[in-house]
Amino acid sequence: MRSWHKARSGKTRRKSYLPSMIFASWLGTYLDLILVKKQLYSFPVRLFPGVFDIHILFTLLVLPFLTAICLSLFQRLHTWQRWLAILGIIAAYTEQVSESLGWFVHSSEWRHIYSFFGYSLFLWLVWRFHQKFS
């Protein structure tokens, strides 16, 4: 009986991530649309290039999934600020790797420090949203 209760509470916790995952997807989509429109970066490889200027698969599937992982880490650790900085660094590094693979192209004005602060701010906003609405 006890193991059933633990599994149910884990399932309930995962369901509590859903609003934050939707918020992250929405926020990421609009930020990408704005920054691509300003020609700060582009996505040469993407689904439906004739329809979308952004990588819709990333913003609708990958970003919400990664958000759930980050929220799970933040909830389990008391020092979430440190993890926020570490995840910002990892995200900025991953962005550089995806750029070297040709999935992502930055303009000449872009500095990767923008990515670190941008991802850190993004994760902080999603975390605050999650705390308030879950």
Side-chain angles (χ1 to χ4, degrees):
M1 185 75 162
R2 228 180 219 178
S3 64
W4 178 80
H5 180 67
K6 284 183 183 180
R8 183 155 164 73
S9 67
K11 187 176 181 181
T12 303
R13 187 175 348 116
R14 284 190 299 275
K15 279 186 178 181
S16 75
Y17 295 155
L18 192 59
S20 301
M21 292 167 68
I22 292 169
F23 174 71
S25 178
W26 173 81
L27 183 60
T29 299
Y30 282 101
L31 286 171
D32 275 353
L33 286 170
I34 291 166
L35 296 173
V36 166
K37 186 76 168 173
K38 289 185 174 266
Q39 298 180 346
L40 292 174
Y41 57 78
S42 65
F43 299 94
V45 178
R46 60 186 186 276
L47 287 178
F48 311 113
V51 179
F52 298 110
D53 291 335
I54 63 172
H55 196 304
I56 200 72
L57 181 66
F58 178 79
T59 58
L60 294 180
L61 295 177
V62 176
L63 189 59
F65 177 73
L66 292 175
T67 297
I69 292 171
C70 290
L71 291 173
S72 177
L73 282 173
F74 292 168
Q75 285 184 323
R76 293 175 189 192
L77 301 169
H78 297 289
T79 57
W80 66 270
Q81 294 96 344
R82 279 188 261 160
W83 282 99
L84 188 67
I86 291 169
L87 290 171
I89 291 168
I90 291 170
Y93 176 74
T94 303
E95 191 175 80
Q96 288 178 344
V97 170
S98 65
E99 192 173 22
S100 70
L101 294 172
W103 299 341
F104 198 60
V105 176
H106 284 103
S107 73
S108 59
E109 294 107 33
W110 189 263
R111 302 292 172 257
H112 287 286
I113 192 76
Y114 301 162
S115 298
F116 167 73
F117 286 113
Y119 281 113
S120 296
L121 179 62
F122 175 84
L123 289 170
W124 179 80
L125 284 170
V126 172
W127 172 245
R128 296 300 295 168
F129 178 91
H130 181 72
Q131 286 181 315
K132 187 166 181 94
F133 295 106
S134 293

